[in-house]
């Protein structure tokens, strides 16, 4: 149900129209309103297939990077892990995302959910945790592409640095063309990067010997590396929720897209790994990053190996574009909630309503992070992602328990005790990820958490002093302390 809201939001709408955008509010469950953006000159909202492949690239992008699991625990445990983990971990997070993205279909996703459940500080803190985790992942992809190009193409550290910076800027420019372009680009990249694995799996069938799946690991199994590899390859199921305001009929599209993505991602890991481990005699110790391409060369010949190497580059591009979109629309959603200055919600009408300020800011942060040493930074990003997801599960359970009036077009068909049990399994793993982190990770995560709290306080001061422009409707309600349906009116 569409309606106009109070005068401050109308004033904001007039300002956005001058920037080439309009804002309306969609009646949300429980009587509140969730910001929804309808832009001039847009090329349409995301439909099912582009959303499936955006989720695919948010989470996986193909089986690249799964090799370390074989090295750590052997083929059998790796196959069991990639059979069970997408469902034990991915299904609960997908169900949470499907219900809340349909109930509160505004940009910002999980930030909006935490804000609705626990207030603006929780939303801002979760946004800080997840955003930092997101940009660290984004920054890794241009470096990965540069590494795949090889030393002959990128000789020396200066040339590599220039290549990483150039790729970051060039790939960021694609995001300015519009989310629809990024979505259909993800579909094309997905098909091209998955095709060699389909061929490899098909060609491997007559060569598979099941006994090879039981090949033992020399020495002790590295369970920590094994679990971290599964986690790194299969997280971020909720990232696409930050773009919920750009999805056509999110109450129907999100649950369907997530269901398809779970099956697609599980198959994209399990089948190539079954083929490569069952059709080659390499011991688990040989399974270092990139060995899947070597296995493809053994199974199908050098041409297939080169195709999978090229697919790694295409997959990295797809993951960069999908995750940059997610991070940018998260900033836009936080601006809609009044957690960030309203400048982050500005859109470029001539490019399909893209949030150009948010994209530029995310690109700049990504470029800065790309020059950092990644070992402890990536571990810290995983730690913060775990904290954010625990808060996300808490918001889901709180809203189900305390906001039964919230209209849920899609509802997980379980009662509250069963939902708590469903969330307990992935939560236990998240607690484990946090518990095994080193002291440097704890220190850096603590500093970034303090930064998130400080940023929220600074934004409140800037809003009260009128040093920066914020969503006036959100600010007015925040002063009243009245939080309604994720967007304040």
């Amino acid at each position: 149900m569409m309606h106009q809201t109070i005068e401050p939001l109308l004033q904001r709408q007039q300002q956005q129209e001058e920037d080439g955008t309009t804002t309306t509010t969609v009646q949300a469950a429980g009587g509140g309103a969730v910001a929804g953006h309808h832009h001039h000159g847009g090329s349409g909202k995301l439909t099912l297939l582009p959303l499936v492949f955006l989720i695919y690239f948010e989470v996986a992008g193909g089986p690249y990077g799964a090799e370390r699991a074989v090295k750590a625990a052997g083929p059998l445990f790796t196959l069991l892990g990639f059979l069970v983990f997408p469902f034990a971990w991915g299904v609960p997070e997908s169900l949470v995302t499907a219900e809340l993205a349909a109930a509160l279909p505004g940009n910002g996703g999980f930030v909006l959910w935490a804000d609705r459940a626990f207030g603006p500080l929780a939303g801002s803190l979760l946004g800080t945790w997840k955003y930092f985790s997101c940009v660290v992942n984004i920054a890794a992809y241009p470096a990965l592409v540069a590494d795949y190009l090889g030393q002959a193409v990128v000789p020396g550290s200066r040339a590599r640095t220039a290549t990483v910076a150039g790729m970051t800027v060039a790939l960021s420019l694609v995001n300015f063309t519009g989310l629809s372009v990024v979505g259909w680009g993800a579909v094309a990249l997905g098909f091209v990067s998955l095709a060699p694995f389909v061929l490899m799996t098909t060609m491997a069938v007559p060569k598979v010997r099941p006994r090879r799946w039981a090949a033992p690991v020399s020495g002790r199994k590295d369970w920590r590396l094994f679990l971290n590899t599964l986690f790194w390859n299969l997280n971020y199921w909720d990232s696409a929720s930050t773009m919920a305001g750009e999805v056509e009929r999110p109450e129907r599209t999100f649950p369907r897209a997530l269901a398809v993505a779970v099956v697609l991602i599980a198959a994209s890991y399990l089948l190539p790994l079954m083929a490569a481990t069952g059709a080659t005699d390499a011991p688990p110790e040989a399974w270092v990053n990139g060995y899947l391409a070597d296995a493809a060369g053994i199974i199908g010949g050098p041409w297939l190996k080169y195709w999978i190497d090229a697919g790694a580059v295409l997959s990295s591009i797809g993951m960069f574009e999908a995750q940059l979109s997610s991070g940018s629309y998260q900033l836009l959603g936080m601006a809609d909630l009044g957690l960030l200055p309203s400048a982050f919600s500005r859109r470029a009408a001539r490019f399909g309503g893209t949030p150009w300020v948010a994209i530029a800011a995310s690109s700049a942060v990504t470029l800065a992070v790309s020059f950092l040493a990644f070992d402890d930074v990536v571990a810290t990003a995983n730690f913060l992602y775990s904290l954010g997801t625990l808060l996300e599960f808490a918001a889901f359970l709180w809203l189900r328990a305390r906001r039964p009036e919230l209209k849920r077009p899609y509802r997980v068909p379980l009662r509250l005790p069963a939902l708590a049990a469903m969330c307990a399994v992935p939560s236990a793993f998240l607690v484990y990820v946090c518990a095994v982190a080193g002291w440097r990770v704890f220190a850096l995560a603590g500093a970034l958490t303090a930064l998130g709290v400080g940023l929220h306080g600074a934004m409140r001061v800037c809003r009260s002093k009128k040093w920066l422009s914020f969503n006036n409707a959100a600010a007015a309600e925040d002063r009243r302390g009245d939080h309604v349906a994720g967007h304040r009116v």
Side-chain angles (χ1 to χ4, degrees):
M1 175 180 176
M2 308 301 296
H3 66 90
Q4 299 296 332
T5 187
I6 59 176
E7 183 177 353
L9 193 56
L10 288 174
Q11 294 172 352
R12 179 170 175 261
Q13 177 177 335
Q14 182 179 359
Q15 177 62 42
Q16 286 193 324
E17 286 175 346
E18 295 173 4
D19 296 328
T21 67
T22 59
T23 301
T24 57
T25 54
V26 180
Q27 187 67 31
V34 177
H37 293 277
H38 302 271
H39 43 75
H40 298 305
S43 54
K45 291 200 169 189
L46 285 176
T47 53
L48 178 64
L49 190 60
L51 183 58
V52 166
F53 277 92
L54 283 172
I55 295 170
Y56 168 77
F57 280 114
E58 296 275 10
V59 176
Y64 305 102
E67 294 96 336
R68 292 184 302 170
V70 179
K71 182 177 181 179
L76 182 60
F77 283 101
T78 297
L79 297 178
L80 289 174
F82 281 103
L83 174 64
V84 173
F85 202 74
F87 298 94
W89 164 255
V91 168
E93 193 174 12
S94 295
L95 290 173
V96 169
T97 301
E99 178 170 312
L100 293 181
L104 301 170
N107 291 320
F110 39 74
V111 176
L112 193 154
W113 310 339
D115 179 271
R116 174 73 188 274
F118 304 122
L121 177 58
S124 182
L125 192 57
L126 190 149
T128 301
W129 288 338
K130 294 263 187 168
Y131 184 75
F132 180 78
S133 180
C134 177
V135 295
V136 167
N137 269 311
I138 297 171
Y141 300 129
L144 181 61
V145 172
D147 289 341
Y148 267 102
L149 291 177
Q151 292 298 316
V153 182
V154 192
S157 59
R158 289 186 179 180
R160 184 180 184 280
T161 298
T163 301
V164 170
M167 286 184 175
T168 301
V169 173
L171 295 177
S172 297
L173 292 175
V174 176
N175 253 253
F176 285 95
T177 62
L179 189 56
S180 181
V181 173
V182 172
W184 285 107
V187 174
L189 289 171
F191 277 107
V192 174
S193 62
L194 280 172
F197 290 108
V198 174
L199 286 174
M200 182 186 77
T201 301
T202 303
M203 296 172 71
V205 170
K207 303 178 182 180
V208 167
R209 301 294 180 266
R211 59 178 172 77
R212 292 170 175 152
W213 294 332
V217 175
S218 62
R220 298 180 60 183
K221 294 180 175 65
D222 189 342
W223 294 113
R224 181 176 177 179
L225 175 61
F226 174 72
L227 291 173
N228 280 333
T229 301
L230 290 178
F231 181 68
W232 185 79
N233 278 277
L234 294 168
N235 57 11
Y236 293 94
W237 292 93
D238 57 345
S239 292
S241 69
T242 63
M243 302 176 281
E246 312 303 308
V247 175
E248 183 179 279
R249 301 181 69 184
E251 70 281 356
R252 291 170 55 89
T253 306
F254 252 101
R256 293 178 178 180
L258 285 161
V260 174
V262 167
V263 176
L264 174 64
I265 289 168
S268 73
Y269 280 102
L270 188 60
L271 296 179
L273 286 170
M274 289 179 68
T277 55
T280 65
D281 289 314
E285 294 73 33
W287 280 73
V288 296
N289 280 342
Y291 182 76
L292 272 171
D294 294 333
I298 295 171
I299 294 168
W303 64 273
L304 189 57
K305 177 185 185 300
Y306 297 143
W307 192 354
I308 285 183
D309 279 335
V313 175
L314 297 176
S315 177
S316 297
I317 293 172
M319 289 188 284
F320 181 98
E321 299 296 346
Q323 293 186 21
L324 181 60
S325 295
S326 175
S328 301
Y329 278 93
Q330 179 188 325
L331 295 185
L332 182 149
M334 293 177 74
D336 286 341
L337 290 168
L339 300 176
L340 290 176
S342 57
F344 287 99
S345 64
R346 290 180 180 171
R347 293 177 179 250
R350 68 176 60 183
F351 293 114
T354 54
W356 65 273
V357 174
I359 293 173
S362 295
S363 301
V365 174
T366 297
L367 188 60
V369 172
S370 67
F371 299 114
L372 300 178
F374 270 91
D375 290 344
D376 287 330
V377 177
V378 170
T380 303
N382 288 337
F383 185 93
L384 295 180
Y385 176 84
S386 299
L387 290 179
T389 305
L390 287 169
L391 180 55
E392 184 180 308
F393 286 150
F396 170 71
L397 295 173
W398 178 270
L399 289 171
R400 180 64 82 90
R402 302 298 296 270
R403 295 291 184 270
E405 77 282 0
L406 189 65
K407 183 180 178 183
R408 294 170 170 86
Y410 171 79
R411 182 184 182 94
V412 180
L414 297 172
R415 295 182 180 273
L416 188 61
L419 291 175
M422 179 190 80
C423 294
V425 174
S427 294
F429 185 76
L430 293 170
V431 171
Y432 168 80
V433 171
C434 294
V436 299
W439 68 268
R440 286 180 296 186
V441 172
F442 281 114
L444 187 53
L448 290 168
T449 299
L451 177 64
V453 174
L455 178 64
H456 178 70
M459 292 298 100
R460 290 178 63 90
V461 171
C462 290
R463 185 169 56 207
S464 64
K465 300 292 186 180
K466 298 183 179 179
W467 291 339
L468 295 171
S469 175
F470 287 82
N471 179 340
N472 291 330
E477 192 202 352
D478 190 40
R479 288 192 292 270
R480 294 197 305 270
D482 181 24
H483 307 290
V484 182
H487 191 78
R488 307 176 182 89
V489 294

